[in-house]
Amino acid sequence: MKLVKSSRFSPCPGPVVTIVLDGVGISPRDDGDAVKAARTPMLDKLMANFPMTKLLAHGKAVGMPSDEDMGNSEVGHNAIGAGRVFAQGAKLVAESIASGHLWQGHAWQEVVATAKQGGTLHFLGLFSDGNVHSHIDHLKAMIERAKQEGVGKVRLHILLDGRDVGETSALDYVDPFEAYLDGLRSADFDVAIASGGGRMKITMDRYEADWSMVQRGWDIHVKGEGRQFASAHEAIETYRNELGVIDQDLPGFVVAKDGQPLGKIGDGDAVVFFNFRGDRAIEISRAFTEETFCPFHRGPLPKVTYAGMMQYDGDTKLPPRFLVEPPAISRTMGEYLAKNGVAQYAISETQKYGHVTYFWNGNRSGKFDDALETYVEIPSDVVPFEQRPWMKCAEITDALIAAIRSGQYKYLRVNYANGDMVGHTGNFEAAVTAMQGLDLQLARLIPAIIEAGGVALITADHGNADEMYELDKKGNVTRDAEGRTKAKTSHTLNPVPFVLVSGEADPAYKLRSDLAAAGLSNIAATVLNLLGYEAPEDYDPSLIEPA
């Protein structure tokens, strides 16, 4: 994995720093754009005075099935770190189902065999067609296949979305799905929704930010302990009327009949976690598969056949049983740099720490070279993000500036989570505040990079805060009769910025103008060029050329 020194590009005298403004896209409209509404003098100055272009961060440009699919932080960081585009979770699963490979795999056959020996087959996962963590069509295909193969009893544990889809759209999925189940149910096929709750309330924590979420989910899904309702519909309507919260924040519920839960998970059962994305699947998978487990008290561990839709962590082999092989991403930029003696520094707060490490490195945990790589995680606040929209951007900047001034690192990368995590709350004013807080940190960081003789590459992994209101089919902001908007909490299809910031008055490189559809995967070759190397031949082209 030897990199070739470039005859076209001299290495930057100082460090090269990739700055990912997570969830900060470029919208074609002003209405509902928290990025434009915010007072961001530093970002405005950089975009106006330095070379800038737009990059695709959604759809096929990041390995999703179609250009109607949003990008997300995981596939975005995969693309940035790998320098190439790989078919991603949603596409892999859809192809595996269509080809029949999923049904032929050992994992599916073991799950079905367990259920046919008298156990219940449980499906647990995010219940929407957002196509970021999961897709309801994958769930339907597995239920139908289970019935076809003679499974007698299926129970569903649904995590309500309201984040990658409309914030109060849960019943738009639950009600038609109940009708769908009515059509499948028969004397020898017993299928029903057994439990559920909002994705930000139960089960789907990530990066060990709040294990209590997973414990609440465990108690609901496994033990059947929680507030009981006759149906998921009743639970959703009741919680909305009582609490006024959006789908992602709905408390957990248990569907029961005559006071008895419909679907506790017990010995001899099979469980499929049908999310394909890894970050919010790891902790619940650990709870089901680890014999020795300390994050919370599970009670007796049921002896189940547990499978993930995919393997969520290839290094720790978690979970050991999975239905679809993940993309094999090798020879990432980080690995090339480590193998060529380049010291690297990666930093973010907990909410995005895995993105500048695990996902950046091609879904690989750990470092390539302990001596050359430093990874720093700033613990995230465990509070609703709209209540503290500046998050940890100041603390991240403190550490990053110190790393730059140390002179120890030639390549540094950072993710600022504000635009995405606050954007997901749907709170426009909080998102504006998040952007303004972030701009203050850019005003501190950029001078430090320039002072060190470095170059900053400012970009994003996808949009979010740039589109905070729901749009109609024509792309206009949706308003009711009183002119009120409806919050949008999902990612956008908008491109993201790429700004090349240097203190040199006349740099020896310039942005290329001949790349018709440049995307996030073009960044890696750009970084290598700025470090004085030629990119590997199969990397997507660099965004720069000699001036």
Side-chain angles (χ1 to χ4, degrees), residues 32-46:
D33 186 342
V35 178
K36 291 176 183 170
R39 183 179 182 277
T40 54
M42 187 62 183
L43 186 57
D44 295 344
K45 176 183 175 181
L46 296 173

Side-chain angles (χ1 to χ4, degrees), residues 5 12 43 114 117 122 181 204 215 234 274 298 307 327 339 445 447 458 469 480 501 535 538 541:
K5 290 188 176 180
C12 173
L43 186 57
T114 297
Q117 289 169 7
H122 300 266
L181 294 182
M204 276 178 59
Q215 182 171 12
E234 180 185 74
F274 62 85
R298 295 176 298 191
K339 296 288 176 63
L445 176 60
I458 302 174
Y469 299 154
D480 64 17
V501 181
D538 62 342

Side-chain angles (χ1 to χ4, degrees), residues 27 29-37 428 431-432 464-471 477 479 485 488 492:
S27 171
R29 65 191 66 78
D30 294 338
D31 201 6
D33 186 342
V35 178
K36 291 176 183 170
F428 183 84
V432 169
N464 189 331
D466 46 294
E467 202 169 276
M468 296 290 293
Y469 299 154
E470 289 284 359
L471 307 178
V477 171
R479 296 181 183 275
T485 59
K488 178 176 180 177
T492 76

Side-chain angles (χ1 to χ4, degrees), residues 17-26 35 40 42-44 46-47 52 55 57 72-73 76-77 80 347-348 352 355-356 360 391 393 396-397 400 413-423 431 434-443 445-446 449 456-466 491-492 494-501 520 523:
V17 185
T18 300
I19 303 168
V20 179
L21 308 181
D22 207 299
V24 178
I26 300 175
V35 178
T40 54
M42 187 62 183
L43 186 57
D44 295 344
L46 296 173
M47 289 182 168
M52 176 181 165
L55 300 180
N72 62 64
S73 298
H77 285 79
I80 297 173
I347 185 171
S348 186
K352 298 291 180 177
H355 296 79
V356 290
W360 192 284
M391 299 181 68
C393 63
I396 291 170
T397 305
L400 184 55
R413 57 187 185 262
V414 59
N415 179 296
Y416 287 106
N418 307 65
D420 188 44
M421 300 311 298
V422 183
M435 289 304 305
Q436 292 177 171
L438 184 54
D439 195 68
L440 292 173
Q441 303 315 312
L442 288 177
L445 176 60
I446 297 301
I449 296 172
L457 288 66
I458 302 174
T459 190
D461 51 349
H462 56 77
N464 189 331
D466 46 294
H491 297 168
T492 76
N494 295 328
V496 299
F498 180 85
V499 189
L500 196 55
V501 181
L520 297 178
I523 293 175

